Amino acid sequence: MKRIIFATGNEGKLKEIKVILEEPGVEVISMKEAGIEADIEENGTTFEENAVIKARAVAAKTGKIVLADDSGLEIDYLGGEPGVYSARYAGEDTPYTVKNQLLLDRLAGVEKERRTARFVCVIAAVLPDGEVITTRGTIEGYIGFAPAGENGFGYDPIFYVPEYECSTAQLSMEQKNALSHRGKALRAMKEKLQEYLEA
Ligand code: IMP
C-alpha cells in the first residue's frame, strides 16, 4: 500500500481529495492520521508559494510523498480579494455564514456581469528525494445574490457556476469534483505522480 500524506487539517478538502486520488494500492492520509504535527506559517504571497511551504514543512518530518494545497476565492470586482487570504478573510475563526454575507454586502448593487470570480487551487508535491512538483486548477463562476446549498464548505454557498446556474454548495461532491479547481489540480497531479505510485 502506497501512502500519500496530505498536509491539511480541513476535513472538507480531505474528503474531496480522497475521492480523486485514492485507487487500489494508494491511500491518502491526513497529517493527523500520520501522527505529524506541524504549525505552519503560510507567509507566501502566491498560492504556489504557500502550497510548497506547507508540503515542505510536513515532508521534513517523513520520508513519504507529501501533498499540500493552497486555494482561495478571487473576486474580480474586489481586485482579486480575498485571494491567498481566503481562509483568514474577516478573521480565521469567523463563521463562513458571516464571511459570505460580508462579501455579498460588498457586492451589493453590482450586476451579475461584474460579479465574476474563480476558485484557484495549487497542489504541491514533495517527493522522498526532495523534488517539488506543482499543478494549478481553476473554476470560473460568479458570486450569487444570496447564499444557497448545504454541501461543500467555505465560500461554496455564494460561488455560482454557469454550467448549472447554482452554487457549488448545491452540487453533489461528484459534480463539484468534476468541475472544481481542486479536482482539476488533483487530476493533473495524479497524472504527474503516476510513475512514482507505480514504482
Ligand atoms: P487554504 O486552506 O489556505 O487553502 O484556504 C483556502 C480557503 O479558500 C478555504 O478555507 C476556503 O475559505 C476557500 N476555499 C478554497 N477552496 C474552496 C472550495 O472548494 N469551496 C469553498 N471555499 C473554498
Side-chain angles (χ1 to χ4, degrees), residues 13 42 54 69-72 86-87 96 119 153-156 176 181-182:
K13 280 185 187 175
E42 286 175 41
K54 284 187 247 186
D69 87 329
D70 197 54
S71 55
S86 292
Y96 273 90
F119 279 129
F153 64 97
Y155 299 105
D156 279 326
K176 184 180 167 189
H181 51 317
R182 192 164 299 99

Side-chain angles (χ1 to χ4, degrees), residues 57-197:
V58 174
K61 303 186 179 217
T62 173
K64 300 197 189 330
I65 297 178
V66 176
L67 299 188
D69 87 329
D70 197 54
S71 55
L73 174 65
E74 291 180 347
I75 301 177
D76 294 324
Y77 184 79
L78 302 179
E81 277 189 55
V84 288
Y85 303 104
S86 292
R88 286 163 277 174
Y89 179 67
E92 185 116 31
D93 297 328
T94 304
Y96 273 90
T97 44
V98 176
K99 296 191 201 230
N100 284 336
Q101 192 54 52
L102 205 64
L103 289 173
L104 289 175
D105 291 347
R106 290 179 71 191
L107 293 186
V110 176
E111 66 273 31
K112 186 176 168 187
E113 290 66 36
R114 293 200 299 148
R115 299 173 79 93
T116 50
R118 71 201 53 75
F119 279 129
V120 180
C121 176
V122 171
I123 307 279
V126 176
L127 306 179
D129 66 1
E131 188 188 342
V132 176
I133 304 171
T134 62
T135 57
R136 171 182 263 255
T138 58
I139 173 174
E140 299 289 331
Y142 61 95
I143 303 303
F145 292 90
E150 306 288 330
N151 302 333
F153 64 97
Y155 299 105
D156 279 326
I158 61 166
F159 183 82
Y160 283 61
V161 280
E163 288 87 343
Y164 293 97
E165 285 296 336
C166 74
S167 82
T168 42
Q170 293 173 296
L171 299 179
S172 67
M173 191 190 291
E174 289 70 26
Q175 286 172 318
K176 184 180 167 189
N177 275 343
L179 295 178
S180 82
H181 51 317
R182 192 164 299 99
K184 289 174 186 162
L186 277 169
R187 283 189 290 274
M189 180 55 79
K190 187 173 184 174
E191 213 164 299
K192 290 196 179 186
L193 284 182
Q194 216 56 49
E195 58 181 295
Y196 302 97
L197 295 175

Side-chain angles (χ1 to χ4, degrees), residues 40-46 49-51 53-54 84-85 88:
I40 305 163
E41 207 193 332
E42 286 175 41
N43 51 12
T45 54
T46 62
E49 275 176 22
N50 279 336
I53 288 170
K54 284 187 247 186
V84 288
Y85 303 104
R88 286 163 277 174

